[in-house]
Amino acid sequence: MTDNIYIRNFAIIAHIDHGKSTLSDRLIEFCGTVSNREMKDQILDSMEIERERGITIKAQTIRLEYKSENGKNYIFNLIDTPGHVDFSYEVSRSLAACEGALLLVDASQGVEAQTLANTWLALEANLEIIPVLNKVDLPASEPERIKTQINDLIGLDTSNVLNVSGKTGEGVEELLELIIKTIPYPIGNSKAPLKVLLIDAWYDSYLGVMVLVRVHDGVIKKGMKVKLMKSKREYQIEQVGILDPKPRIVNSLSVGEVGFITAAIKSVSDAWVGDTITNFKEPALESLPGFKESIPVVFCGLYPTDAGEFDKLRDSLAKLRLNDTSFHFEIESSAALGLGFRCGFLGLLHLEIVQERLEREFDLDLVTTAPSVIYEVKMNDGNITKIHNPADWPELIKINEISEPWIRATIFCPDDFLGKILKLCNEKRGTQIDLSYVGKRVMLVYDLPLNEIIFDFNDNLKSISRGYASFDYEIKNYKPGNLVKVGILINSESVDSLSFIVHRENADHRARGICEKLKGLIPRQLFKIAIQATIGGKVIARETVSALRKDVTAKCYGGDITRKKKLLEKQKKGKKRMKQVGNVDIPQEAFLAALKVDIG
C-alpha cells in the first residue's frame, strides 16, 4: 500500500501551443517511465488527429516514479490537459483529481486568453498553482517581461518562477523538486469508508469500459462489490490498474492514487462522470461534490451523402460516443437530405474534430447543416421551450419572447489591431465591458451573443490580427433578443435544412445572400423556379432561376401565325402544369455551398 505522503497529483494547464505536451514528454523521459525505444514526441496525444493538428483533445493521465534529492521515492500522477476553449470541460474534470497545477506560460508570447481561463478554473478548484516559463531557449523569449505580466494580470508571486525548456529539458529536475515542495500531498484516510471520484470513462477494445478514478478515502481492490452513489448502480471490480502510459494491472489503489478500474460496465453512459464510487457493504454517508455535466452549446445536422449509409452513420456515432461522451445525437429527418442526426457539441472545433473523425475513421461522406445554438422561446401561454433546430420553431403568433445565449469573451491582441477588433465586436452586436493595457498588448472584455460567434468570429479575428490575437469565452446568461426564423422556399416548398435563426436587423442582408447563392447553384429546369426567403408568411428576398427555352415552333414551316400562337399557348400551359407537379432536385454541392454562406 502506497503512503500518500509521497504522492503528488498535478495537471499542466496553459494556452494552446504553449508546450504542455512537450514538457510532459521531458518529465516522462527524466523519470524513465517509458523506454528510449518506445519514446516519441507528444506521447500522451494518442489520437492520430491530435498528433496531426498538434493539439490535445482528450486529457491524458500518466503515473511517474521519481527518486528525490532527499533519497525518497515519489509517485507523480500527471494529467496533460487541452488548451482550446472547446475542451475546457476536460480541463475542469482533470483538475478535480489534483492538488496542484503547473501554469505554463510561453516566455515569448506571454499570458494569453486561455492562460487566464484555465487559471480561474484552477483557483476555483482550490489548487496550488506553480507558474512556469517555458520555451526559454528561444531567441525571442523575454522571461522578465512575462513574469511582470503574470504578476499584473493573474496576481501570482513570480519571485521564484522557474525557467524551463520542454524542448531541451532545461530546468526539468528543478521543476520536479519544486512540485514536491510546493504541491500538497493528498489528504484522506485509508481506513475510512471508500470514496472514489469517477473522473472519466472510455471504451477499450480489449478491456471494455475503463473508468478513470481518484481515490479520496479507503482502498479499492479487485473483487470488491461497489456502488455508484448517484446512478445507484452496483458492480463487482474485475481489474484495478494504473496508466504508465499503457494500462498496468495492480492489486489495489489507495488514498490519493489515480488509476483505472473495469467492472463489467456495459456502456460508457452507465458510468456518470463526477459520480462517487463507494463500498456496497460499508457505503460512505455523503458523496463527493463531483462537477457539472458537459452541456452542448452548438448544434448541427449530420447527414450521409448517400442515403444508404444512414445505418453506418448511426453505428459510427455510437462507437465514437464510447470515447467522447461530451457530444450528443438524436435522429432527425429532412425533406431535402433524408434521414440524419441532430448533434450537439461543446464548440465549433469540437464539431470539426467529430466530423473529421467520422470521415477518417469510419470512411463516411457527410453533409453538415449550418450550426445553431439553444434558444429559449417563451410562448404566449407562459410555457418556455428550448429550441436548437430551426425546423422546430413555433408559429410567430404563438411567441411572446425569444432569449439567446450570451458569452463573456476575453481577447488579447497587440495595440496595432485594436481598431479593427473593436469594429468586429460591434458588428457582432457586442457590448464592451473592459479595455486595459498590459505593456503593448490590450486585454478586451466583451459580452457577445453566441449566435454571432459560432460561424466565423474566430477566423475573422485571426485574419485581421494576422494570427496574433487570442480569444476565450464562457457562457454567461440568456438575454431577450429580436430574433426571427428565416425560412427558405424553393418552388413554394419549404427546405428546412437551409432555414436559420438570425437577428431581425441582419435578416434581409443574409436572406438576400443565400437566395443569390442558391440561384447560381440550382440547375435550370423547363419551368421557372422561385427561390424565396420568408419570415412568417412575409417574403423578404426572392430570386428566380429562369426556365430553359425549348423552341416548339421549330418544325412549324409556313402557315398562318395562329398556328404558332396555338403551339406557344400549349407550351405555356404545359410549363404551368409542370411547375405545379415538378420536383426541384437541389444538388448536394448546392447545399454544401449554401451552408457555407455566413447565415449566422
Coordinates of all heavy atoms in Angstrom, one line a residue, residues 351-395:
L351 N -17.0 20.2 -33.0 CA -17.8 19.8 -34.2 C -16.9 19.3 -35.3 O -17.1 18.3 -35.9 CB -18.7 21.0 -34.6 CG -19.7 20.8 -35.8 CD1 -20.8 21.9 -35.7 CD2 -19.1 20.8 -37.2
E352 N -15.9 20.2 -35.6 CA -15.0 19.9 -36.7 C -14.2 18.6 -36.4 O -14.0 17.8 -37.3 CB -14.0 21.1 -36.8 CG -13.3 21.2 -38.1 CD -12.4 22.4 -38.1 OE1 -12.8 23.5 -37.7 OE2 -11.2 22.2 -38.5
I353 N -13.8 18.4 -35.2 CA -13.0 17.2 -34.8 C -13.9 15.9 -35.0 O -13.4 14.9 -35.6 CB -12.5 17.3 -33.3 CG1 -11.5 18.4 -33.2 CG2 -11.9 15.9 -32.9 CD1 -10.1 18.2 -33.8
V354 N -15.1 16.0 -34.5 CA -16.0 14.8 -34.6 C -16.3 14.5 -36.0 O -16.3 13.4 -36.5 CB -17.3 15.1 -33.8 CG1 -18.4 14.0 -34.1 CG2 -17.1 15.1 -32.3
Q355 N -16.6 15.6 -36.8 CA -16.9 15.3 -38.3 C -15.7 14.7 -39.0 O -15.8 13.8 -39.7 CB -17.2 16.7 -38.9 CG -17.6 16.5 -40.4 CD -17.8 17.9 -41.1 OE1 -17.8 18.9 -40.4 NE2 -18.0 17.8 -42.4
E356 N -14.5 15.2 -38.6 CA -13.3 14.7 -39.3 C -13.0 13.2 -38.9 O -12.6 12.4 -39.7 CB -12.0 15.6 -38.9 CG -10.9 15.3 -39.8 CD -9.7 16.3 -39.7 OE1 -10.0 17.5 -39.4 OE2 -8.6 16.0 -39.8
R357 N -13.2 12.9 -37.6 CA -13.0 11.6 -37.1 C -14.0 10.6 -37.8 O -13.7 9.5 -38.1 CB -13.2 11.5 -35.6 CG -12.0 12.1 -34.8 CD -12.1 11.9 -33.4 NE -11.9 10.4 -33.0 CZ -12.2 10.0 -31.8 NH1 -12.5 10.8 -30.8 NH2 -12.0 8.7 -31.5
L358 N -15.3 11.0 -38.0 CA -16.3 10.2 -38.7 C -15.9 9.9 -40.1 O -16.0 8.8 -40.6 CB -17.7 10.9 -38.6 CG -18.4 10.9 -37.3 CD1 -19.6 11.9 -37.4 CD2 -18.9 9.5 -36.9
E359 N -15.4 10.9 -40.8 CA -15.0 10.8 -42.2 C -13.7 9.9 -42.3 O -13.6 9.1 -43.2 CB -14.8 12.1 -42.8 CG -16.1 12.9 -43.0 CD -15.9 14.3 -43.6 OE1 -14.8 14.8 -43.6 OE2 -17.0 14.9 -43.9
R360 N -12.8 10.1 -41.4 CA -11.5 9.4 -41.5 C -11.5 8.0 -40.9 O -11.1 7.1 -41.6 CB -10.4 10.3 -40.7 CG -9.1 9.7 -40.8 CD -8.1 10.5 -40.0 NE -7.9 11.8 -40.4 CZ -7.0 12.7 -40.0 NH1 -6.1 12.2 -39.1 NH2 -6.9 13.9 -40.4
E361 N -12.1 7.9 -39.7 CA -12.0 6.6 -39.0 C -13.1 5.6 -39.5 O -13.0 4.4 -39.4 CB -12.1 6.8 -37.5 CG -10.9 7.5 -36.9 CD -11.1 7.8 -35.4 OE1 -11.9 7.1 -34.7 OE2 -10.5 8.8 -34.9
F362 N -14.2 6.2 -40.0 CA -15.4 5.3 -40.4 C -15.7 5.4 -41.9 O -16.7 4.9 -42.3 CB -16.6 5.6 -39.6 CG -16.4 5.5 -38.1 CD1 -16.1 6.6 -37.3 CD2 -16.4 4.2 -37.5 CE1 -15.8 6.4 -35.9 CE2 -16.2 4.1 -36.1 CZ -15.9 5.2 -35.3
D363 N -14.8 6.2 -42.6 CA -15.0 6.2 -44.1 C -16.4 6.7 -44.5 O -17.0 6.1 -45.3 CB -14.6 4.9 -44.7 CG -14.4 5.0 -46.2 OD1 -14.0 6.1 -46.7 OD2 -14.6 4.0 -47.0
L364 N -16.8 7.8 -43.9 CA -18.2 8.4 -44.2 C -18.0 9.7 -45.0 O -17.1 10.4 -44.8 CB -19.0 8.6 -42.9 CG -19.5 7.4 -42.2 CD1 -19.9 7.8 -40.8 CD2 -20.8 6.9 -42.9
D365 N -19.0 9.9 -45.9 CA -19.0 11.2 -46.6 C -20.3 11.9 -46.1 O -21.4 11.4 -46.3 CB -19.2 10.9 -48.1 CG -18.8 12.1 -49.0 OD1 -18.4 13.2 -48.4 OD2 -19.0 12.1 -50.2
L366 N -20.1 13.1 -45.5 CA -21.2 13.7 -44.7 C -21.5 15.1 -45.3 O -20.7 15.8 -45.8 CB -20.7 13.9 -43.2 CG -20.4 12.6 -42.5 CD1 -19.9 13.0 -41.1 CD2 -21.7 11.8 -42.3
V367 N -22.8 15.5 -45.1 CA -23.3 16.8 -45.3 C -23.6 17.4 -43.9 O -24.3 16.8 -43.1 CB -24.5 16.9 -46.1 CG1 -25.1 18.3 -46.3 CG2 -24.2 16.3 -47.5
T368 N -23.0 18.6 -43.6 CA -23.3 19.2 -42.3 C -24.1 20.5 -42.5 O -23.8 21.3 -43.3 CB -21.9 19.6 -41.7 OG1 -21.0 18.5 -41.7 CG2 -22.1 20.1 -40.2
T369 N -25.2 20.6 -41.8 CA -26.1 21.8 -41.9 C -25.5 22.9 -41.1 O -24.5 22.7 -40.3 CB -27.5 21.5 -41.4 OG1 -27.5 21.2 -40.0 CG2 -28.1 20.3 -42.1
A370 N -26.0 24.1 -41.2 CA -25.5 25.3 -40.5 C -25.6 25.1 -39.0 O -26.6 24.7 -38.5 CB -26.3 26.5 -41.0
P371 N -24.5 25.5 -38.3 CA -24.6 25.3 -36.8 C -25.6 26.3 -36.2 O -25.9 27.4 -36.8 CB -23.2 25.7 -36.4 CG -22.3 25.7 -37.6 CD -23.2 26.0 -38.7
S372 N -26.2 25.9 -35.1 CA -27.1 26.8 -34.4 C -26.9 26.6 -32.9 O -26.2 25.7 -32.4 CB -28.6 26.5 -34.7 OG -29.0 25.2 -34.3
V373 N -27.5 27.5 -32.1 CA -27.3 27.5 -30.6 C -28.7 27.2 -30.0 O -29.7 27.1 -30.7 CB -26.7 28.8 -30.0 CG1 -25.4 29.0 -30.6 CG2 -27.7 30.0 -30.3
I374 N -28.8 27.1 -28.7 CA -30.0 26.8 -28.0 C -30.7 28.1 -27.7 O -30.1 29.0 -27.0 CB -29.8 26.0 -26.7 CG1 -29.2 24.6 -27.0 CG2 -31.2 25.8 -26.0 CD1 -28.9 23.8 -25.7
Y375 N -32.0 28.3 -28.1 CA -32.7 29.5 -27.8 C -33.8 29.1 -26.8 O -34.4 28.0 -26.8 CB -33.4 30.0 -29.1 CG -32.4 30.4 -30.2 CD1 -32.0 29.5 -31.2 CD2 -31.8 31.7 -30.2 CE1 -31.1 29.9 -32.1 CE2 -30.9 32.0 -31.1 CZ -30.6 31.1 -32.1 OH -29.6 31.5 -33.1
E376 N -34.2 30.1 -25.9 CA -35.3 29.9 -25.0 C -36.5 30.7 -25.6 O -36.4 31.9 -25.7 CB -34.9 30.4 -23.6 CG -34.0 29.4 -22.9 CD -33.8 29.8 -21.4 OE1 -34.2 30.9 -21.0 OE2 -33.1 29.1 -20.7
V377 N -37.6 30.0 -25.9 CA -38.7 30.7 -26.5 C -39.9 30.6 -25.5 O -40.3 29.6 -25.1 CB -39.2 30.0 -27.8 CG1 -40.4 30.7 -28.4 CG2 -38.0 29.9 -28.8
K378 N -40.3 31.9 -25.1 CA -41.4 32.0 -24.1 C -42.7 32.1 -24.9 O -42.8 33.1 -25.7 CB -41.2 33.2 -23.2 CG -42.2 33.3 -22.1 CD -41.9 34.5 -21.2 CE -42.9 34.5 -20.1 NZ -42.7 35.7 -19.2
M379 N -43.6 31.2 -24.7 CA -44.8 31.2 -25.5 C -45.9 32.1 -24.8 O -45.7 32.5 -23.7 CB -45.4 29.8 -25.6 CG -44.4 28.7 -26.0 SD -43.7 29.0 -27.6 CE -45.0 28.3 -28.6
N380 N -46.9 32.4 -25.6 CA -48.0 33.3 -25.1 C -48.7 32.7 -23.9 O -49.2 33.4 -23.0 CB -49.0 33.6 -26.1 CG -48.4 34.6 -27.2 OD1 -47.6 35.4 -26.9 ND2 -48.8 34.4 -28.4
D381 N -48.7 31.3 -23.8 CA -49.4 30.7 -22.6 C -48.5 30.5 -21.4 O -48.8 29.9 -20.4 CB -49.9 29.3 -23.1 CG -48.7 28.4 -23.5 OD1 -47.6 28.8 -23.4 OD2 -49.0 27.3 -24.0
G382 N -47.2 31.1 -21.5 CA -46.3 31.1 -20.3 C -45.3 30.0 -20.3 O -44.3 30.1 -19.6
N383 N -45.5 29.0 -21.2 CA -44.5 27.9 -21.3 C -43.2 28.4 -21.9 O -43.2 29.2 -22.8 CB -45.1 26.7 -22.1 CG -46.2 26.0 -21.3 OD1 -46.1 26.0 -20.1 ND2 -47.1 25.4 -22.0
I384 N -42.1 27.8 -21.4 CA -40.8 28.1 -22.0 C -40.2 26.9 -22.7 O -40.1 25.8 -22.1 CB -39.8 28.7 -21.0 CG1 -40.3 30.0 -20.4 CG2 -38.4 28.8 -21.5 CD1 -39.4 30.6 -19.3
T385 N -39.9 27.0 -24.0 CA -39.4 25.9 -24.8 C -37.9 26.2 -25.2 O -37.6 27.3 -25.6 CB -40.2 25.7 -26.0 OG1 -41.6 25.7 -25.7 CG2 -39.9 24.4 -26.7
K386 N -37.1 25.1 -25.1 CA -35.7 25.3 -25.6 C -35.6 24.7 -27.0 O -36.0 23.5 -27.2 CB -34.7 24.6 -24.6 CG -34.6 25.3 -23.3 CD -33.4 24.9 -22.5 CE -33.2 25.7 -21.3 NZ -32.0 25.5 -20.6
I387 N -35.1 25.5 -27.9 CA -35.1 25.0 -29.3 C -33.7 25.2 -29.9 O -33.1 26.3 -29.7 CB -36.1 25.8 -30.1 CG1 -37.5 25.5 -29.7 CG2 -36.0 25.6 -31.6 CD1 -38.6 26.3 -30.3
H388 N -33.2 24.2 -30.6 CA -31.9 24.4 -31.2 C -32.0 24.0 -32.7 O -31.0 24.2 -33.5 CB -30.8 23.5 -30.6 CG -31.1 22.1 -30.4 ND1 -31.1 21.2 -31.5 CD2 -31.5 21.4 -29.3 CE1 -31.5 20.0 -31.0 NE2 -31.7 20.1 -29.7
N389 N -33.1 23.5 -33.2 CA -33.3 23.2 -34.6 C -34.3 24.2 -35.2 O -35.5 24.2 -34.7 CB -33.8 21.8 -34.7 CG -33.8 21.3 -36.1 OD1 -33.7 22.1 -37.1 ND2 -34.0 20.0 -36.3
P390 N -34.0 25.0 -36.2 CA -34.9 25.9 -36.8 C -36.2 25.2 -37.3 O -37.3 25.9 -37.3 CB -34.1 26.5 -38.0 CG -32.7 26.3 -37.6 CD -32.6 25.1 -36.8
A391 N -36.2 24.0 -37.6 CA -37.4 23.2 -38.1 C -38.4 23.1 -37.0 O -39.6 23.0 -37.3 CB -37.0 21.8 -38.5
D392 N -38.0 23.2 -35.7 CA -38.9 23.1 -34.6 C -39.5 24.5 -34.1 O -40.2 24.6 -33.1 CB -38.2 22.5 -33.3 CG -37.7 21.1 -33.7 OD1 -38.3 20.4 -34.5 OD2 -36.7 20.6 -33.1
W393 N -39.1 25.5 -34.8 CA -39.5 26.9 -34.4 C -41.1 27.0 -34.5 O -41.7 26.7 -35.5 CB -38.9 27.9 -35.4 CG -38.7 29.3 -34.8 CD1 -39.4 30.4 -35.1 CD2 -37.7 29.7 -33.9 NE1 -38.9 31.4 -34.4 CE2 -37.9 31.0 -33.7 CE3 -36.7 29.0 -33.2 CZ2 -37.1 31.8 -32.8 CZ3 -35.9 29.7 -32.4 CH2 -36.1 31.1 -32.2
P394 N -41.7 27.5 -33.4 CA -43.2 27.7 -33.4 C -43.6 28.8 -34.3 O -42.8 29.6 -34.7 CB -43.5 27.9 -31.9 CG -42.2 28.4 -31.3 CD -41.1 27.9 -32.1
E395 N -44.9 28.9 -34.5 CA -45.5 29.9 -35.3 C -45.3 31.3 -34.6 O -45.3 31.4 -33.4 CB -47.0 29.7 -35.5 CG -47.3 28.5 -36.4 CD -48.8 28.3 -36.5 OE1 -49.6 29.3 -36.5 OE2 -49.2 27.1 -36.4

